[in-house]
Amino acid sequence: MTYIAPSLLAADFANLQRDIEIINSSKADWFHVDIMDGVFVPNISYGMPVVEAIGKHAKKPLDVHLMIVQPERYIDTFFNLGAAVISVHIEACPHLHRIIHYIKSLGIKAGVALNPHTSIDGIRDIIADVDVVNLMSVNPGFGGQKFIPRTLHKIAALKTIIKAENLSTLIEIDGGVSLSNYQEIIAAGADVLVAGNCVFGASNPVQAIAEMKG
Ligand code: DX5
Ligand code: ZN
């Protein structure tokens, strides 16, 4: 089964409740919530009051992707705002093992995100502890970018490791997912597709989600 996680970064913020209801009524599995601090990535998205507002209307789990430095400072905050999954970037975490186990101790899913240049070799010794690996398929910071094809090799290589170790770790693909490439991304081994512009830019978002869900 493929999970679909529409990214609210591509929603119409002036009509956020309307866009959340559209996703509620769809076959989507998670809401993808992108938090950017303007330091780890060259953009600032939205913060806690907006996540609180999202949580009031969202009827599916919140998948919070922290694109921030020192994410350990904000785990409790996003947990209290209702996150069901929290992903931190390996590039922002010198003590990744500690933060992953802290997130899991809260009873929610822990994820690690890798920038496009980051090798999957760096997660070999933590893969058994994480619930989700987010392989960034664009440079984080902006929606609407083009999918980096090399990601397909990373997905396949990571899937091989996960299978060999008999793990249930989910591979999430984030950035540039579209109706023209989602099939090859799933075929390579992806379990979760984040989709921003391809959902909210579609004339019929519910239908676009259904198509990717298969
Ligand atoms: C990029 C974010 C993505 C983004 C995806 O920094 O992490 O989640 O919202 O948007 P699309 O699907 O438009 O590439
Ligand atoms: Zn994201």
Side-chain angles (χ1 to χ4, degrees), residues 5-28:
S7 169
L8 288 169
L9 191 63
D12 177 354
F13 292 135
N15 290 287
L16 194 50
Q17 184 180 354
R18 179 201 66 187
D19 283 1
I20 290 169
E21 299 294 357
I22 290 172
I23 304 307
N24 282 340
S25 73
S26 77
K27 288 184 175 165

Side-chain angles (χ1 to χ4, degrees), residues 32 34 65 67 134 174 194:
H32 188 77
D34 285 308
H65 176 195
M67 286 163 276
N134 178 340
D174 189 2
V194 175

Side-chain angles (χ1 to χ4, degrees), residues 27-123:
K27 288 184 175 165
D29 298 276
W30 295 345
F31 283 91
H32 188 77
V33 174
D34 285 308
I35 306 298
M36 305 177 184
D37 65 355
V39 179
F40 181 71
V41 290
N43 194 13
I44 298 174
S45 55
Y46 48 80
M48 293 74 157
V50 174
V51 178
E52 188 177 2
I54 292 168
K56 282 195 184 127
H57 301 289
K59 296 203 172 77
K60 298 168 193 275
L62 302 186
D63 170 33
V64 176
H65 176 195
L66 296 181
M67 286 163 276
I68 65 176
V69 296
Q70 299 184 308
E72 64 279 2
R73 297 171 63 204
Y74 292 100
I75 302 302
D76 286 341
T77 301
F78 288 101
F79 170 70
N80 289 326
L81 287 169
V85 184
I86 297 181
S87 293
V88 296
H89 268 264
I90 188 171
E91 301 86 1
C93 295
H95 302 290
L96 184 62
H97 184 276
R98 179 182 292 146
I99 191 167
I100 290 294
H101 281 270
Y102 183 69
I103 296 168
K104 286 171 63 123
S105 76
L106 298 172
I108 60 174
K109 285 187 165 56
V112 58
L114 275 63
N115 278 340
H117 77 277
T118 301
S119 166
I120 58 168
D121 293 343
I123 54 167

Side-chain angles (χ1 to χ4, degrees), residues 161-180:
I161 294 168
I162 289 169
K163 278 191 179 158
E165 298 192 22
N166 207 13
L167 302 171
S168 52
T169 318
L170 299 172
I171 301 178
E172 177 172 45
I173 301 306
D174 189 2
V177 174
S178 72
L179 292 177
S180 44

